[in-house]
Amino acid sequence: MMKHFSCPYRSLLLRKKDNKTSWQFLLSTTTIAPSNEEEEEKKDGVGGNLVVPPEMPHFNHTPSPYRGPSASDLFKRRKHYLPTSVGPYYTNPLNLVEGKMQYLYDENGRRYLDAFGGIATVSCGHCHPDVVEATVNQMRLLQHTTVLYLNHAVIDFAEALAAKFPGDLKAVFFTNSGTEANELALMIARLYTSCHDIISIRNGYHGNATSTMGATAQNIHKFNVVQSGVHHALNPDPYRGVFGSDGVKYANDVQDIIDYGTCGRVAGFIAESIQGVGGVIELAPGYLPEVHSIIKKAGGLFIADEVQTGFGRTGSHFWGFEAHGIVPDIITLAKGIGNGAPIGAVVTTPQIAEVLSRRTYFSTFGGNPVCSAAGHAVLRVIEKEKLEQNAFVVGSYLKECLSSLMDKHEIIGDVRGKGMLLGVELVKDQKLKVPASAEMLHIIEKMKDMGVLVGKGGFHGNVIRITPPLCFTKEDADFLVDVMDYTMLKM
């Protein structure tokens, strides 16, 4: 059977034809003659190359037998009892019943490589034993009190979390989600500065409550409700933006908004260091430091939305903002904080946090002891298993492998992101950059059929989002890239 393609050898397996950007695999150097049982393998029609479907890496886990309702039954009941504008992925929705580290299992026991991680949420791995143990142990002791009582699980986690931030960023407020964390952060900024105006970036996503929907700048995520006091600046998108990779020129638009759209002072600025839902957009170099300076001069607070970029996911740093050499005034957290437990947080300075003492601020479930125990276990696992370093090593390797496909497949317009937060933008033409939205849906459907689950995103719905658990391996990366390559060859 043909050997598994591995990124270090891809350069040996590619041949340029007629000095054009058209490439083909040279399979002869890596192919073992197929057996009689493999005669069903077909030609791909591109240069007569033989293409063998990649094999998923071995994984030592046997899922438990599933005796629950079928996917078709669940889909019918979901439509009736759980109405939502967002339906399940795929033509035939998956009924996922078990997870183990970077893998998921459906009702039939079929294994899938999870390269989406519950939307960048599963940081340590599905059902990581250390996180499960900490959660179950706490649940056996005490499931819930409120912040009106003392509980060591909540305080221990707050202390451990605060230790991960620079300077005086030591005041922690726990919430239930990223939306709630961003909602609270925006309110704190407005209270502290006595200003109402907030600046956010076009194409950014910050949640679906009233204030966060205002800060979100994609019409697909905005209902026709009152959203006041938010100004949206030019998106510093190096791939599609008007100024390319010149971050300072984009930052000038923030100054223009302050000069022409406000009284000259603002409550704050909120941004993701890498836009997640917006299509894994890395902000142009120099942008955030320049905006940080502009916002501080205007009396505002800088809010770093770390809901997707936090907890080592970018690999190079524990927090996304650190790569830009700035220190925010407020940081919002969620998703990877609990490895799937419903918890978020706002971290700021004691001076700024004081504004919430002017009235009664209260969250019934903020700092739930079970969720806090899970979050604290996540911090310990990330450190013990060096998952931040793994995100850097494997993520860099995966990005390189994905980038190697660009010359081979015209449909790939851009590969971007850092660590385990990567995006592949699909276009109909690499020069014109026309979004290939329908093609993207076809590709992720076929990748699912071959055992790989990825996400979708971007304003045009043409970006494959890759945000796996941080325990992802190089073998997993090879399999993902080979499946994507095989799927595109078969289009």
Side-chain angles (χ1 to χ4, degrees), residues 382-410:
I382 290 174
E383 182 176 354
K384 181 179 75 172
E385 299 184 1
K386 298 183 177 0
L387 293 184
E388 180 185 347
Q389 295 91 320
N390 189 67
F392 176 77
V393 173
V394 177
S396 300
Y397 172 85
L398 176 56
K399 184 177 181 181
E400 180 184 354
C401 293
L402 291 168
S403 297
S404 73
L405 296 180
M406 288 185 66
D407 287 326
K408 185 180 179 186
H409 299 289
E410 180 75 13

Side-chain angles (χ1 to χ4, degrees), residues 457-478:
F459 183 79
H460 303 286
N462 66 319
V463 179
I464 296 175
R465 294 167 64 191
I466 301 172
T467 56
L470 305 188
C471 56
F472 220 62
T473 68
K474 285 188 176 182
E475 290 75 22
D476 296 323
D478 283 336

Side-chain angles (χ1 to χ4, degrees), residues 81 117 119 157 160 170 263 270 314 322 336 357 420:
Y81 294 107
I119 316 180
F157 181 38
K170 304 302 178 190
C263 66
I270 184 169
T314 64
E322 293 177 295
S357 66
M420 298 293 187

Side-chain angles (χ1 to χ4, degrees), residues 43 54 69 71 118 123 142 147 150 168 230 263 295 331 336 355 376 394 407 443 482 484:
K43 305 282 185 176
S123 46
L142 181 67
V147 293
L150 297 177
D168 204 23
V230 179
C263 66
I295 292 298
I331 301 101
V355 298
H376 200 175
V394 177
D407 287 326
I443 288 170
D482 288 343
M484 185 180 295

